[in-house]
Every structure is written in structure tokens, then in C-alpha cells.
Amino acid sequence: MARSSVLSLLNASAAPTAPVLIQGWVRTRRDSKAFSFLEINDGSCLRSLQVVADASLTNYAEVAHLRTGSSLEVEGDLVPSQGGGQAWELVARRITLHGATPEDYPLQKKGHTPEFLRSIAHLRPRTNLFGAVFRVRSRMAYAIHRFFQERGFVYVHTPIVTASDCEGAGEMFRVTTLSPEEMKQGVPDFFGKPTYLTVSGQLEGETFACALSNIYTFGPTFRAENSHTSRHASEFWMIEPEMAFCNLEGDMALAEEMIQYLVSTAMEECAEDLAFFNKFVDKELLTRLAFVRDRPFARLPYTEAVEILLASGRSFEYPVAWGQNLQAEHERYLTEEHCRCPVTVFDYPKDIKPFYMRANEDGRTVAAMDLLAPGIGEIVGGSQREERLDVLRGNLARQGLSGEAYSWYLDLRRYGTVPHAGFGLGFERLLMFVTGVSNIRDVIPFPRVPGSAEF
Ligand code: 4AD
Ligand code: MG
């Protein structure tokens, strides 16, 4: 007999004519005189299916002692529910227990804090909150591929082990087979040169855009920065589109279109999970998402953003000055209080940005952009790339990077160079935005952050 999902049964438009089979885990058990009521969840949706087990079942004695967390399968008849709250319930003909649970099962009925649940990350997908988060994560990953595939972008797999530091920030994890001793002695390493876990697939992505026109990457990236914030992880996923024959304007337009598409998809395809977040995580969530989906985003040149911050009369923890990076508190002021909508800040000072960004005519800014989202701050970072060989060479030299290591990247400018642009969307930042979950550790199945690589 084929298994039905709890979701398909709860959404049934009519009672099936034959018995059905479900498999899942017990959320709760309640007993009355001649019956046990079991709530069974199989992860297919937030809701559980109520199973009615009556005393005539051969193993009723066992069923009547089942604890939360036990796994079982139930064959039975789907009938209109007697009680309120759900349309259908399953009257069991047979219940087979797969795995019982002892008394020390950590997920008891009372609510647990996300902090506690992080310490049992192998069990937390069984909770309402994390089941919902990881269903949305899966849906969003699929929607991202759909967004690009529908627009003719080619999906490129860029390497995870790399020798180049895309962001030039030196925040890379070394990948080596050498012992510390061998390293000191200068023994050649596995790949013949120092290698690292990638911080971004952009540079490799650019080579493919300079052949296939529009491409995207979607994969894990790693940063060895010692940030202990709720928005930084050491391992996270990034989506990086790159478009040939495209300028900063086209780049910003794609980022905005993509965010609106993903928000709209989440609202349509994950409505039940989002309603749950709206009730238990963030009461403003649905209002904010509808606003973002329906209204145009703001755009601000960096110089104007700095003027706004200086004129705000706010005392920020980090001082505001032209030429300094915007801090999270500044970003949040701009998007949450000044613009009251997502805002793309563009044309940043060239001295705070990586070598690959295109120099503007003014000589002091580059064609960079950051898309800031309310409640999160930076969610997208991108730029038009420097396509002029001589300017790019000058940038590398100025930032102390070797032209030899980047010779393949310079070749793209020597042979048929084109204006091109792209951006990186932090997948987890997007998930925080669509779920309202405020800590990045709670949208990653097994988070890696400084000091912690559990499971
Ligand atoms: O702004 P970033 O560093 O840009 C790049 O890596 C470019 N190479 C992208 C490109 O133009 N192709 O990172 C892009 C995005 C950020 O806006 C943020 O959403 C996310 O990646 N991000 C992080 N997410 C979680 N944890 C971290 N430590 C992150 N660092 C960046
Ligand atoms: Mg950035």
C-alpha cells in the first residue's frame, strides 16, 4: 500500500474510497475511555493528523502508552472529523510501532527556546518552528533556480576549493594536507600551492558570463571572519548571478526583481508556514512582506545616504563619515526609519571596496551596490565589474595583489572584454527576511560559527 502524506490527507477534497497508510512521529497522545487520540506529524506540513485508535486494536495496550516522538505507521480510514479544528481524522485499522521513545525524549510538549533547540540540532527539525523553517528553505532554493532558469540563466558550479581570495579580505579557511611541521619545512602542499575554501564563486562565475552571457551560481561559501553577530555564519550559501553586457542599473534591477519574486513565492507557496511565523515569531512579518512584494524599492547613492545619516540627529555607536563602511545600525536606520522599505545604496567609496569593482568617472567611487532589507540590513552585495584591462591592473597593484595569480581573470579583459555586472544574495539572510527568524543559526540545518561546529 502506498504511503500518503499528512498534507495530502488533510487537504483531501473527498474521503478516499479505500484505506490509506501514513507514517510519522507522535506529537501528542490523549486518552479517553475507549479511545486514544494520536497527533501524527510527518513533516509534510505544519499540521498533524489526528488518528483515532480504539480499544479493539490488537495492540491497543501498546498504543495507549505511546510517547511523544515515537515513530509508527497507521493504516486506516479517513473520515470527516468529529471534533473541531480539522476537517479529517484517520480511524485506525492497524498501527505498527517502528520505534518507541523513552521518557527522556527532549522535545516535550512545552515550548523550548531556540537556544536550547540549537543544542539538539539533530532533533529540532521535529518541532513546528524548525520544520517550517526548513520547508521554506527548500522551497526558496527551488524558487531561486526557477527564477533564473525561466530567464535563461545558466547554472554554473564553481569550485569550493580555490587558490584565489575573491573579496581580498583574507578571511579564508586554509585547505591543506600538511602537518604544521611539514608546513614549516616548506613541504609542497597537495595542490602545489596554498588553497582555501571559497569565499565567493564570483571570479569563476565571471569567466562563464563572458561566454554564456547570463549565469548564476548557488553553493556554499566560507568566511573565517571572527564575527559573533546574529547575521554572520562561517559557512553559508550564496546565489551569485553574473550578466555580460550589463551595467549597475541592470544589476540593481535584477536584484530587486529577484527579492520581490522570492517574497511573493514564499507568500503563495508557504502560506501556512508563514502564518505560523507571523503568529509566533514576528507579528509584523506578513504586513512587511506584502509591502515589499507590492511597492517599489528605494535607491540612494552612498554619498546621499551618508548625508541622511549625518542629518538624522542620531547618535550611532559607530560614527558616520564619508569613506567609512556603513555599519549594520546605519543600514537599519536607512531602511527601517528613513526609507521604510528596502533600499539599494550604490556608488560606494572605492577605498573600502574590492579590486574588481568598476571605477566611476568621479575618481573616488565605484559602481557597487548593497541592497538593504528592513530588520536585516545588507542582504545583497554586488557591483559592475572593472572591464578595462589597464584600470584593473592598477587596482590589483594598489591593493597589493599579484597580477600573476589573477592572470586568468585579466585574460577576460584581454580577449573580448565586455561590461558586466553581478551580485551575491546571502541565502540565509533571505531566509531570515521571509521567516522573521532573527538569528542566522536558526535558518541553517547545522550552523557553523566561530567556536562551534557541532553535529
Ligand atoms: O557582500 P559580499 O561579501 O559579496 C560578495 O561575496 C561578492 N563576491 C558577491 C558578488 O558580487 N558576486 O557577500 C554577498 C552577500 C551579502 O550581501 C550577505 O547577504 C551574504 O552574502 N553574506 C553572509 N551571509 C551570512 N554570513 C556571512 N558571514 C556573510 N557574509 C556575506
Ligand atoms: Mg557586502
Side-chain angles (χ1 to χ4, degrees):
M1 180 184 279
R3 174 180 71 176
S4 302
S5 68
V6 165
L7 176 66
S8 67
L9 296 184
L10 286 172
N11 288 349
S13 50
T17 49
V20 295
L21 176 74
I22 62 157
Q23 297 167 320
W25 291 264
V26 176
R27 279 295 177 81
T28 59
R29 194 197 79 238
R30 204 158 49 77
D31 303 315
S32 71
K33 255 191 210 127
F35 299 99
S36 267
F37 297 98
L38 303 167
E39 296 286 335
I40 307 298
N41 190 282
D42 65 357
S44 59
C45 63
L46 192 64
R47 287 166 292 163
S48 299
L49 180 64
Q50 173 158 291
V51 167
V52 184
D54 81 55
S56 67
L57 290 171
T58 51
N59 58 344
Y60 185 71
E62 181 183 56
V63 169
H65 288 92
L66 283 176
R67 290 200 189 86
T68 300
S70 310
S71 56
L72 45 70
E73 63 179 57
V74 183
E75 192 187 322
D77 302 292
L78 196 70
V79 302
S81 178
Q82 306 294 308
Q86 69 268 319
W88 301 102
E89 61 191 21
L90 189 63
V91 177
R93 294 184 181 201
R94 166 179 74 81
I95 295 182
T96 304
L97 180 65
H98 280 284
T101 302
E103 254 167 49
D104 64 357
Y105 186 59
L107 297 174
Q108 296 305 330
K109 208 174 168 223
K110 71 179 172 72
H112 297 290
T113 63
E115 290 76 16
F116 168 72
L117 292 170
R118 261 174 239 152
S119 73
I120 50 165
H122 56 306
L123 295 173
R124 68 179 182 167
R126 297 188 190 187
T127 63
N128 283 338
L129 175 65
F130 288 93
V133 164
F134 293 119
R135 274 189 300 273
V136 172
R137 187 173 170 118
S138 166
R139 273 278 163 195
M140 288 292 97
Y142 182 53
I144 283 161
H145 283 294
R146 200 170 60 207
F147 176 84
F148 286 118
Q149 297 286 336
E150 281 173 354
R151 287 160 180 75
F153 284 62
V154 176
Y155 179 31
V156 178
H157 294 110
T158 50
I160 289 173
V161 175
T162 176
S164 54
D165 180 1
C166 171
E167 296 305 297
E171 291 166 338
M172 302 202 292
F173 291 101
R174 177 83 188 262
V175 175
T176 182
T177 52
L178 299 178
S179 68
E181 270 306 292
E182 291 169 323
M183 222 180 255
K184 261 188 237 145
Q185 293 161 4
V187 175
D189 206 345
F190 189 88
F191 294 106
K193 56 172 146 182
T195 48
Y196 308 89
L197 293 178
T198 187
V199 295
S200 159
Q202 178 197 319
L203 303 189
E204 293 89 349
E206 281 185 53
T207 70
F208 275 76
C210 292
L212 304 178
S213 295
N214 288 348
I215 66 97
Y216 69 105
T217 72
F218 186 0
T221 48
F222 307 85
R223 304 232 172 147
E225 56 186 329
N226 199 15
S227 304
H228 296 257
T229 79
S230 57
R231 311 177 310 139
H232 289 89
S234 310
E235 175 179 328
F236 61 98
W237 283 58
M238 196 163 29
I239 299 101
E240 295 183 276
E242 190 73 31
M243 294 169 288
F245 308 100
C246 180
N247 59 14
L248 188 68
E249 167 67 35
D251 201 34
M252 293 194 285
L254 184 76
E256 293 166 352
E257 183 186 349
M258 180 175 187
I259 300 294
Q260 286 190 314
Y261 175 90
L262 294 173
V263 165
S264 154
T265 300
M267 295 183 81
E268 269 167 43
E269 298 181 10
C270 310
E272 185 181 54
D273 290 329
L274 261 52
F276 175 83
F277 300 134
N278 195 68
K279 191 161 171 200
F280 294 106
V281 177
D282 176 355
K283 299 236 178 320
E284 306 292 310
L285 179 70
L286 290 177
T287 315
R288 186 163 63 245
L289 292 179
F291 186 87
V292 166
R293 178 193 58 192
D294 299 333
R295 304 275 289 269
F297 295 6
R299 289 186 190 174
L300 274 181
Y302 167 89
T303 302
E304 209 173 295
V306 167
E307 282 160 12
I308 289 166
L309 291 166
L310 288 173
S312 69
R314 279 299 170 92
S315 59
F316 293 108
E317 191 186 333
Y318 293 87
V320 180
W322 200 97
Q324 297 295 308
N325 254 318
L326 297 181
Q327 301 294 328
E329 54 175 344
H330 308 139
E331 295 177 342
R332 295 190 56 174
Y333 176 84
L334 292 171
T335 173
E336 288 161 33
E337 300 190 46
H338 185 79
C339 298
R340 295 177 177 276
C341 68
V343 50
T344 308
V345 177
F346 61 97
D347 288 348
Y348 280 80
K350 76 166 192 271
D351 291 337
I352 55 169
K353 290 294 183 184
F355 69 93
Y356 55 71
M357 297 189 176
R358 191 179 197 279
N360 285 327
E361 297 303 311
D362 63 13
R364 56 179 207 151
T365 63
V366 288
M369 63 103 166
D370 276 359
L371 199 162
L372 315 177
I376 313 276
E378 177 187 344
I379 177 165
V380 166
S383 64
Q384 184 172 342
R385 320 306 188 185
E386 185 54 77
E387 85 285 10
R388 298 163 292 189
L389 182 61
D390 52 330
V391 183
L392 187 59
R393 275 206 182 113
N395 290 353
L396 284 169
R398 219 181 10 263
Q399 302 204 7
L401 300 165
S402 118
E404 204 178 324
Y406 291 91
S407 64
W408 58 275
Y409 188 70
L410 291 165
D411 272 356
L412 302 176
R413 280 71 181 169
R414 293 177 62 201
Y415 308 128
T417 193
V418 288
H420 60 288
F423 62 80
L425 165 66
F427 187 44
E428 287 78 11
R429 300 257 176 104
L430 169 81
L431 293 172
M432 291 166 74
F433 186 63
V434 299
T435 60
V437 167
S438 61
N439 194 310
I440 197 163
R441 294 168 181 80
D442 297 331
V443 296
I444 301 178
F446 298 102
R448 271 82 183 94
V449 293
S452 172
E454 293 305 312
F455 307 98

